[in-house]
Amino acid sequence: MVRPGGRSARVQQSVHAAVRELVAEVGRDALTVPMVATRAGVTPSTIYRRWGDLQELLSDVAVERLRPETDPADLGSLRADLDAWAEQFIDEMASPPGRAYIRDALLGDPDGTNAGQCSAYAAEQIDVVLARAAQRGEPVPETELVIDRVVAPIMYRILFRPGRLDAAYARELVTHALDARQTEAGARLTRAAAPRRSKKKSGH
Amino acid sequence: MVRPGGRSARVQQSVHAAVRELVAEVGRDALTVPMVATRAGVTPSTIYRRWGDLQELLSDVAVERLRPETDPADLGSLRADLDAWAEQFIDEMASPPGRAYIRDALLGDPDGTNAGQCSAYAAEQIDVVLARAAQRGEPVPETELVIDRVVAPIMYRILFRPGRLDAAYARELVTHALDARQTEAGARLTRAAAPRRSKKKSGH
DNA sequence: AGCTTAATGCGATTTTGTTGCTTCTAGGCG
DNA sequence: CGCCTAGAAGCAACAAAATCGCATTAAGCT
């Protein structure tokens, strides 16, 4: 039986809050489970039982923070919307805290659930932009194509390369993703079903 | 002062070997630092001092295993070489052990050194293929462009999406990377200096 | 060979992680 | 409305791990 409300929910909230506070105060490296437990006003065993270890807890918190809060801005054209979205994506994800959240989300994630969720967030945002453009009558590429050509290169650089990521790079990627010939040819590239979220027992 | 030889080197070798053996025997989840230390014939404090924690040790071992052992095959044309390389890349990286190594490499890597090294391995391999093609007089894209269009989408799927990765997908990515117009336009995309390896104290 | 110093070994100590059992409470049912 | 049930949290004893100071070993240099 799942218990989404009552005490369980309060415990989860206070634990999450404690993690966020302590990460800000002492840094992620100094964080320990007993420390979080004390701050949250619970016993360590509660955390160990619900999350297993610090990594999974951090992963849980990280996915929460990576969830986009608003729909992408509507600037009147697909080009402008995608540009703005990609630029904001880079700003959020490539910043030191953003990188840390991405790493944490990937980290304590044995089954890839959290990683899939992150990807799904990006796909949803792109879908909104593309649907709006289609509504306007603009030709639109497949979501998968935008992920391959815009999101993937950005994430690859964030995770694997020290190099810089700026707005100009974002625009180049978008230009390329919207290239007419590529957009038509892109249908061939469609594959890889969208990941679905299977709630954890700690459901939030 | 760095001590690349003698006892330090022997300790490192035996620790790495112990990790590989134990991962195969008991699995990564059951692995502990004291266990590795016993198998390697060293004291736990040695491992803690040199590697910090289990994650960094695993990251160290993972990078070793992700190092390509041979140059990409020469099949007579850029297209064939890249196809073959991408296909092999997917085979190795998308397999369960490959994914595990990638995760480990990213995991215990506070400064991104190991991740940069993984990226550098791929870049080196691609450079070999491209240099050979240039030698033959074929038009070649920038290394960065191949990374953005072939490597990045593959790694993104491996890390974030449950979907399938097969040879057909690899070929589509290569086709797209070699597209003539894109190859010319690609010069604009060049940025992000190649990462350089700064040896750890445990130097291997 | 002798010197210097990084690296390892060893053991005491602290901290973290695990487990069995009890207590509490949300949600279901009569 | 109050009992019942079972999942979740608390508690405490225990096991395992990580840390630290100090002694010892041995690379690398002159």
Side-chain angles (χ1 to χ4, degrees):
Chain A
M1 187 200 295
V2 182
R3 302 233 171 148
R7 184 161 73 158
S8 296
R10 285 195 301 278
V11 166
Q12 160 149 357
Q13 282 187 335
S14 68
V15 169
H16 274 217
V19 168
R20 285 190 295 268
E21 290 169 24
L22 288 168
V23 164
E25 287 173 29
V26 305
R28 178 178 350 280
D29 294 341
L31 209 65
T32 66
V33 170
M35 192 185 297
V36 173
T38 302
R39 173 68 63 102
V42 301
T43 60
S45 60
T46 294
I47 293 179
Y48 288 121
R49 275 198 261 254
R50 271 184 65 162
W51 284 278
D53 60 17
L54 188 61
Q55 286 182 7
E56 285 185 54
L57 173 55
L58 283 170
S59 182
D60 211 42
V61 172
V63 172
E64 292 258 334
R65 305 219 84 176
L66 290 174
R67 172 182 305 171
E69 284 154 17
T70 62
D71 275 357
D74 185 345
L75 302 175
S77 76
L78 173 56
R79 170 77 216 204
D81 285 3
L82 263 190
D83 266 349
W85 181 82
E87 204 170 318
Q88 190 193 345
F89 187 76
I90 286 183
D91 280 349
E92 287 174 1
M93 297 300 196
S95 67
R99 287 175 197 250
Y101 285 128
I102 293 168
R103 284 172 46 92
D104 285 341
L106 282 176
L107 217 101
D109 188 23
D111 57 356
T113 304
N114 288 349
Q117 186 60 26
C118 291
S119 177
Y121 287 153
E124 284 169 19
Q125 297 278 96
I126 290 168
D127 274 340
V128 169
V129 168
L130 295 184
R132 261 195 323 235
Q135 198 77 12
R136 294 190 198 104
E138 298 185 71
V140 298
E142 296 280 339
T143 303
E144 291 294 324
L145 186 126
V146 177
I147 290 180
D148 276 349
R149 300 198 185 171
V150 178
V151 178
I154 292 172
M155 289 301 299
Y156 185 79
R157 279 170 140 84
I158 289 175
L159 288 172
F160 289 98
R161 316 201 67 168
R164 79 178 205 283
L165 279 162
D166 55 23
Y169 180 61
R171 279 193 296 275
E172 284 164 9
L173 291 176
V174 171
T175 297
H176 166 234
L178 294 184
D179 177 288
R181 193 170 53 164
Q182 298 304 318
T183 300
E184 289 156 24
R188 282 185 294 111
L189 280 169
T190 305
R191 56 183 64 247
R196 59 267 158 230
R197 171 68 160 170
S198 66
K199 283 278 181 191
K200 314 189 69 150
K201 58 182 172 179
S202 54
H204 37 256
Chain B
M1 188 199 295
V2 183
R3 300 220 171 158
R7 186 163 68 160
S8 295
R10 284 196 301 277
V11 166
Q12 160 149 0
Q13 282 187 336
S14 68
V15 169
H16 274 217
V19 168
R20 286 190 295 268
E21 290 168 23
L22 288 168
V23 164
E25 287 174 29
V26 306
R28 179 182 344 282
D29 294 341
L31 209 65
T32 66
V33 170
M35 192 185 295
V36 173
T38 301
R39 173 68 63 102
V42 300
T43 59
S45 59
T46 294
I47 293 179
Y48 288 122
R49 277 196 265 253
R50 272 182 64 162
W51 283 278
D53 59 18
L54 189 61
Q55 285 183 9
E56 286 186 53
L57 173 55
L58 283 170
S59 181
D60 212 41
V61 172
V63 172
E64 291 259 334
R65 305 218 87 177
L66 290 174
R67 173 182 304 170
E69 284 153 19
T70 62
D71 275 357
D74 185 345
L75 302 174
S77 76
L78 174 57
R79 171 75 216 204
D81 285 4
L82 263 190
D83 265 349
W85 180 82
E87 203 169 319
Q88 189 192 347
F89 187 76
I90 286 183
D91 281 348
E92 286 174 3
M93 298 301 195
S95 68
R99 286 175 197 252
Y101 285 128
I102 293 169
R103 281 174 47 92
D104 285 341
L106 281 175
L107 217 99
D109 188 23
D111 57 356
T113 303
N114 287 350
Q117 184 60 27
C118 291
S119 177
Y121 288 153
E124 284 170 21
Q125 298 279 96
I126 290 168
D127 273 339
V128 170
V129 168
L130 295 183
R132 261 196 323 236
Q135 197 78 12
R136 294 190 197 105
E138 299 185 70
V140 299
E142 296 279 340
T143 304
E144 290 294 324
L145 186 128
V146 178
I147 290 179
D148 275 349
R149 300 197 185 172
V150 178
V151 179
I154 292 172
M155 289 300 299
Y156 185 80
R157 280 169 138 84
I158 288 174
L159 288 171
F160 289 98
R161 317 201 67 169
R164 79 179 205 283
L165 279 161
D166 55 23
Y169 180 61
R171 279 194 296 276
E172 285 165 8
L173 291 176
V174 171
T175 297
H176 166 234
L178 294 184
D179 179 287
R181 191 168 56 162
Q182 298 303 318
T183 300
E184 289 155 26
R188 283 184 295 108
L189 280 170
T190 305
R191 55 184 65 248
R196 59 268 160 233
R197 172 67 161 171
S198 64
K199 284 278 182 192
K200 310 190 73 150
K201 57 183 172 179
S202 54
H204 38 253

